[in-house]
Amino acid sequence: MTQPRLILGSGSPRRLELLAQLGLTPSDIRPPDINEDPRKGELPRPYCTRLAKEKALAIEADPDDVVLSADTTVALGRRIIGKPADEKEAAEFLTMMSGRRHRVITAVAVRKGDQIWERDVVTQVKMKMLSNPELNAYLVSGDWKGKAGGYGIQGPASAFIPWISGSFTAVVGLPLAETAGLLTAAGLDLYT
């Protein structure tokens, strides 16, 4: 039996790198074009799972293709902290999270034909109290661009995160243990 084609429904270079850790190279990369605005009153976890599923459904694919999509959302209490629009917003986000715990939610949706397999992973993250020099140096680095919450745990901001409880790879953008299970359920053979 031939292996189904894997289509990554994400333009995230981090997700591509994480898939490589599973020994997978997608046949194609097709970032979906969907509206990512939260609905009025929508809470972080349902928002994140909805987006992952909508992304998977938005990707054009043959019935035998396996489509993998994901969404990562940072939540501070009931508030969704998205990708900052600019450096000023990145500074606001990081200042809000400075010295506090927040949650990083990554939802994964895998689709093959009409079937969808879904999982979401919630990781608790503590950010140390940031000094002005730390915050300003990070903002100048530009590492905050395109990242939920305005930081990437795998880059320079790792110096700001003394503690997590949960999945490190989920905070980066794709929980590998859960993703491997979903891809296996959809018919991809990861172990031969």
Side-chain angles (χ1 to χ4, degrees):
M1 188 170 132
T2 60
Q3 182 87 318
R5 288 186 334 139
L6 174 62
I7 296 168
L8 177 59
S10 170
S12 164
R14 292 164 296 283
R15 290 196 178 112
L16 192 58
E17 290 166 7
L18 288 165
L19 275 178
Q21 290 182 31
L22 292 176
L24 295 172
T25 303
S27 300
D28 201 1
I29 298 172
R30 302 178 190 167
D33 184 20
I34 67 164
N35 178 351
E36 295 192 22
D37 294 336
R39 294 177 179 154
K40 185 173 170 58
E42 194 169 29
L43 294 173
R45 195 168 179 177
Y47 162 77
C48 190
T49 56
R50 175 178 65 82
L51 281 192
K53 185 174 185 176
E54 285 182 7
K55 288 176 182 181
L57 292 169
I59 302 297
E60 290 284 328
D62 293 335
D64 291 336
D65 293 343
V66 174
V67 176
L68 168 66
S69 293
D71 187 72
T72 300
T73 299
V74 171
L76 192 57
R78 298 166 62 93
R79 183 173 179 179
I80 295 167
I81 311 290
K83 296 173 185 167
D86 53 31
E87 189 173 299
K88 182 177 181 285
E89 192 171 47
E92 288 170 15
F93 289 172
L94 292 165
T95 300
M96 276 192 298
M97 292 185 289
S98 177
R100 298 177 65 188
R101 287 186 185 180
H102 59 275
R103 289 173 296 139
V104 177
I105 304 149
T106 297
V108 181
V110 171
R111 176 173 65 92
K112 184 176 182 183
D114 293 333
Q115 268 194 292
I116 294 186
W117 296 265
E118 299 177 85
R119 283 291 303 271
D120 65 88
V121 175
V122 180
T123 303
Q124 301 288 332
V125 180
K126 181 174 198 276
M127 185 173 284
K128 74 182 209 113
M129 186 62 76
L130 300 178
S131 68
N132 281 334
E134 287 169 327
L135 177 61
N136 291 328
Y138 185 69
L139 292 170
V140 168
S141 79
D143 188 65
W144 54 269
K145 293 177 183 172
K147 295 187 173 102
Y151 77 95
I153 195 170
Q154 72 282 7
S158 61
F160 305 156
I161 310 296
W163 176 90
I164 76 165
S165 177
S167 169
F168 177 82
T169 57
V171 178
V172 177
L174 197 64
L176 289 185
E178 292 78 4
T179 300
L182 294 176
L183 292 172
T184 301
L188 272 184
D189 187 355
L190 274 61
Y191 306 106
T192 57

